[in-house]
Amino acid sequence: MKLFSFWRSLATYRVRIALNLKGLKPDEIVDVNLVKGQQREDAFRHVNPMMALPALVDGEGPALFESLAIIEYLDETHPDRPLLPKDARGRARVRGLAQLVACDSHPLIVPRVREYLEHELKIDEAARNAWCRHWHRAALTALEAHLQDKATGRYSHGDSVTLADICLASQAAGAQFFKVDLAPFPTFRRIVETCMANDAFARAHPLQQPGAPASA
Ligand SMILES: N[C@@H](CCC(=O)N[C@@H](CS)C(=O)NCC(=O)O)C(=O)O
C-alpha cells in the first residue's frame, strides 16, 4: 500500500485515522508538499488528476482518490470494527455528518481556493483568513445542531467510532490551524476529545507527521 500524503492535509488525516483504526500501515508514504505546489507537478497529476491529496495505491490498478471513497473502500475490504452503522438510516446520518465536513466545508478552505482568492481576486491575508474562519464556523454550527440528536452517544453516532468521527477530528484540526474558537460547540468538542484519547486518532494528527511544526 502506498499513501500520497502531506503533514498538513486534513483529507489525508482522515485516511490516516481510518488506516490506524483498521490496523493498516502503508509500505510507502510519498510526500507531496502542498506548500511547494508539488500537487500540480506532472508526477502527481498522473496519480490524481484533481491534484489533491490523498491518493492511495492498493495492489494493482490506479490510485484511489477522495478521502471518503478511500475510507469506505478500506472499511469494505477490512470489515472488522465497521465505520458505518448496520441500518440504512444510521448510515445516511453518518455519511451526512461526514459530507458536511468533507464536501461542504473543507473544500472551501483548501490551498487551491485560498491561492485563487489571493492571486486572482487579490484578497488580502486578513480577508482570506476571515473567509476560512467563516466556513469553519458555518460547518461547526450545523454539526453542533445535528449532534443534539438522540442518535449521538459517546461518539457522533452511538457509542462506537464511525466515519463521522473521523471527519469531526479533521474539522477540529482545521479549526486549530485557522484559530477558530471551539467554545460555542461543546458537543463537537466533547466528541473530538473522546476521539483524540484514541491512539488511532492521536497518531494520525497532522502535527504528529514528519515535517510538521511543533505547534499550529
Ligand atoms: N474532497 C477531497 C479533498 C481533497 C483536497 O482538497 N485535499 C487538499 C489537502 S487537504 C489538497 O491536496 N489540496 C491541494 C490544492 O488545493 O491545491 C477529499 O476529501 O479527499
Side-chain angles (χ1 to χ4, degrees), residues 105 132-133 135-141 143-144 147-148 167-193 196 205:
S105 171
C132 293
R133 281 196 284 268
W135 294 117
H136 265 97
R137 278 192 289 265
L140 288 163
T141 303
L143 286 169
E144 186 67 24
L147 293 172
Q148 303 315 305
C167 290
L168 258 61
S170 75
Q171 185 77 26
Q176 186 182 5
F177 290 152
F178 290 98
K179 307 202 180 336
V180 177
D181 181 15
L182 291 181
F185 313 107
T187 314
F188 173 89
R189 272 178 51 194
R190 179 202 32 98
I191 293 167
V192 171
E193 276 165 22
M196 295 317 291
H205 192 277

Side-chain angles (χ1 to χ4, degrees), residues 70-170:
I70 295 172
I71 294 168
E72 289 214 24
Y73 166 84
L74 293 173
D75 201 34
E76 287 173 23
T77 52
H78 300 82
D80 275 359
R81 286 181 284 171
L83 296 172
L84 286 168
K86 286 197 170 51
D87 61 305
R89 183 168 284 272
R91 281 196 300 280
R93 180 170 183 266
V94 166
R95 287 187 175 120
L97 293 169
Q99 289 174 22
L100 206 155
V101 172
C103 307
D104 287 346
S105 171
H106 177 215
L108 294 163
I109 59 101
V110 290
R112 60 189 174 279
V113 170
R114 299 201 314 270
E115 286 164 16
Y116 189 87
L117 293 175
E118 179 179 0
H119 301 301
E120 303 298 323
L121 303 184
K122 312 291 179 203
I123 291 176
D124 66 25
E125 189 178 0
R128 294 197 305 276
N129 286 335
W131 164 282
C132 293
R133 281 196 284 268
H134 171 79
W135 294 117
H136 265 97
R137 278 192 289 265
L140 288 163
T141 303
L143 286 169
E144 186 67 24
H146 280 299
L147 293 172
Q148 303 315 305
D149 192 281
K150 64 181 187 321
T152 301
R154 185 170 151 73
Y155 293 100
S156 320
H157 192 82
D159 294 326
S160 50
V161 169
T162 64
L163 174 64
D165 302 302
I166 293 176
C167 290
L168 258 61
S170 75

Side-chain angles (χ1 to χ4, degrees), residues 9-11 14 34 39 51-54 66-67 106 110-112:
S9 161
L10 299 173
R14 296 194 276 271
L34 297 182
Q39 72 274 29
M51 299 177 275
L53 292 169
E66 288 289 332
S67 61
H106 177 215
V110 290
R112 60 189 174 279

